[in-house]
Amino acid sequence: PDVRDICADDRGGFWLATAQGLNYYTQDAYLNISGEQGLPVLETQQVRLAPDGALWIATARGVARLFNGQWRYYAGKRWLPS
């Protein structure tokens, strides 16, 4: 995949922001997160893990947040860097 950003978590896993969705790798597993799993925009650019455990995903159209299995999407220029 076209990897644009990588973020490590405290369990030894890696989150990868790609043009084809979000990927999660561990030593034992691989998971692709796309629209079927709730990712609101397939083309991701950056990924960060917040201290509270929330995963923040930057896209060309806004920012998505995954926390406790729930997605929240912040769309529009207000949420994008200038």
Side-chain angles (χ1 to χ4, degrees):
D2 178 17
V3 177
R4 293 161 177 198
D5 195 30
I6 299 173
C7 177
D9 66 19
D10 59 358
R11 295 176 285 173
F14 293 94
W15 293 94
L16 281 69
T18 76
Q20 297 82 28
L22 190 63
N23 296 313
Y24 183 67
Y25 290 92
T26 66
Q27 186 174 0
D28 303 317
Y30 162 78
L31 176 65
N32 176 262
I33 300 171
S34 64
E36 293 177 6
Q37 293 79 28
L39 185 64
V41 176
L42 192 60
E43 188 173 341
T44 59
Q45 297 176 343
Q46 291 184 321
V47 58
R48 295 290 183 267
L49 192 59
D52 66 358
L55 190 67
W56 289 89
I57 302 102
T59 76
R61 297 185 195 154
V63 179
R65 179 179 185 256
L66 177 60
F67 186 66
N68 289 333
Q70 299 292 316
W71 287 97
R72 181 122 190 221
Y73 184 55
Y74 303 89
K77 291 185 178 186
R78 173 182 179 193
W79 303 101
L80 299 173
S82 47

